Amino acid sequence: MGEQSVNKVIVGCGWALLALPALAQAQMQMTPAQRDAWTAAQEKKAEQAARTADTAAADASASSASGRWMPDLGKLLATGGVIQVEGAGGGGLTPWALITGYGTRDSYGANAHYTYLKTQDYTLRSYGVAVGILDRVELSAAKQEFYGSLAPLNNLKITQDIFGLKIKLAGDAVYDQDRWLPQIAAGMMLKRNNGIGGLGAVTSVKQLGAASDAGIDYYLSATKILLDQSLLLNATMRLTKANQMGLLGFGGDKGDRYQAMGEFSAAYLINRKLALGAEYRMKPNNLAADNEKDYYDAFLAWFPSKNLSVTLAYVVLGDITVYNPTRQRGTYLSLQAGF
């Protein structure tokens, strides 16, 4: 309560005390019926005042609760990253330690994405949603659809479902500018391959030599943003058995154990809305039918607002299968909308 409010209360109480004798004399001159009517009127006024106070308190409480559950979009533009091809917040090929969306530690954010990747012989589509909670936890769900376009795999279709969880463990990529510690997050991706279509009798990745059609990737990411240099650096270590991200199953006739694969990203913020970067992702080699190679890309990401981003990249995915033994190069376009 401010000083002016206190003064008003004191003055009001003083006038009430001065009015008491006159009020008592007036009541003595009332008839019993008049006193009863006056008392009833005062009680009615008190009830109305109490109802008004209760309504105001309820409205204030509802407004406060509504404010708590509204997204605040409080993070800096582009600091939520984009959605990578497996659904997690990060770059195009690899997850970062950043939590998706623009919600701060008191709020939340969410995104929906659609990604289209085209090489000489194959097409990959990915779409899904991701939610960031209290800038601490990220949940994601994505679906990948992989198609062939050149014989003998021109009718090929493979789909995969991916569910992700990421938890920030330490550091803050934006606010810890005076510390060397990067933001660190741990995550996992649960993947299930839904089988193969368009290859006749071959309907399962196990028929290609994969040990399983489902698997889990585990990863640890460290992301450092250097605001003065307009630079983002990321390193991710992934434990995986996945062949081509899981599109060709998990494990295989050449190996069925978890392997540690490094993934690296760097991005330069040209201005507040435009970032230029590159990524490199190491891959295992578990299948005789798939001479798997590392992935890498160069990307340009545009953030016209906190509700929309567009990422365009040139990607190199190496060989996909021995049936089309050609290094796959192409373009990557990803659209993301959210808050």
Side-chain angles (χ1 to χ4, degrees), residues 26-95:
Q27 286 183 327
M28 291 177 64
Q29 294 174 355
M30 292 180 185
T31 65
Q34 288 174 327
R35 282 196 295 270
D36 291 343
W38 183 87
T39 300
Q42 298 308 309
E43 291 176 350
K44 185 175 181 180
K45 288 181 180 179
E47 291 176 358
Q48 290 176 341
R51 283 197 296 269
T52 300
D54 290 342
T55 301
D59 290 344
S61 177
S63 177
S64 176
S66 175
R68 284 196 303 269
W69 290 106
M70 289 294 290
D72 59 16
L73 283 83
K75 291 162 65 174
L76 296 177
L77 185 66
T79 57
V82 296
I83 297 295
Q84 57 105 211
V85 73
E86 292 157 297
L93 295 179
T94 183

Side-chain angles (χ1 to χ4, degrees), residues 32-290:
Q34 288 174 327
R35 282 196 295 270
D36 291 343
W38 183 87
T39 300
Q42 298 308 309
E43 291 176 350
K44 185 175 181 180
K45 288 181 180 179
E47 291 176 358
Q48 290 176 341
R51 283 197 296 269
T52 300
D54 290 342
T55 301
D59 290 344
S61 177
S63 177
S64 176
S66 175
R68 284 196 303 269
W69 290 106
M70 289 294 290
D72 59 16
L73 283 83
K75 291 162 65 174
L76 296 177
L77 185 66
T79 57
V82 296
I83 297 295
Q84 57 105 211
V85 73
E86 292 157 297
L93 295 179
T94 183
W96 297 347
L98 304 176
I99 301 298
T100 193
Y102 287 99
T104 65
R105 63 183 182 180
D106 299 316
S107 186
Y108 63 95
N111 290 296
H113 83 281
Y114 176 81
T115 298
Y116 180 85
L117 193 161
K118 175 68 175 175
T119 68
Q120 310 100 296
D121 304 325
Y122 303 100
T123 299
L124 174 66
R125 297 187 179 97
S126 173
Y127 48 90
V129 295
V131 178
I133 304 169
L134 305 178
D135 199 28
R136 175 68 60 178
V137 177
E138 177 183 295
L139 303 173
S140 62
K143 190 176 191 70
Q144 291 181 332
E145 298 177 350
F146 184 74
Y147 301 90
S149 58
L150 185 68
L153 303 178
N154 52 303
N155 294 319
L156 174 67
K157 180 180 179 180
I158 302 173
T159 64
Q160 179 174 227
D161 298 319
I162 305 174
F163 299 95
L165 169 66
K166 184 197 298 180
I167 299 175
K168 184 166 75 171
L169 301 179
D172 191 288
V174 175
Y175 294 107
D176 287 347
Q177 293 299 300
D178 57 345
R179 304 174 63 193
W180 64 267
L181 182 70
Q183 182 166 320
I184 300 172
M188 59 189 300
M189 296 178 180
L190 289 76
K191 303 179 177 182
R192 174 164 291 279
N193 187 291
N194 298 316
I196 298 175
L199 290 186
V202 179
T203 59
S204 169
V205 290
K206 294 181 179 180
Q207 293 173 269
L208 298 178
S212 176
D213 58 6
I216 303 176
D217 285 0
Y218 302 93
Y219 64 88
L220 186 69
S221 293
T223 304
K224 186 66 176 177
I225 296 178
L226 305 172
L227 291 177
D228 288 344
Q229 290 76 30
S230 300
L231 191 63
L232 177 147
L233 301 173
N234 180 83
T236 296
M237 184 61 67
R238 184 189 302 247
L239 293 177
T240 184
K241 294 182 180 182
N243 310 315
Q244 302 294 354
M245 298 184 291
L247 290 167
L248 296 183
F250 303 84
D253 43 17
K254 294 171 63 177
D256 185 24
R257 60 181 178 82
Y258 275 103
Q259 300 179 58
M261 297 286 124
E263 304 175 11
F264 309 96
S265 306
Y268 176 73
L269 200 63
I270 300 172
N271 55 46
R272 291 180 60 253
K273 297 186 176 183
L274 201 61
L276 178 67
E279 298 177 287
Y280 188 89
R281 176 171 172 173
M282 298 171 64
K283 306 299 300 305
N285 189 350
N286 299 319
L287 290 177
D290 174 24

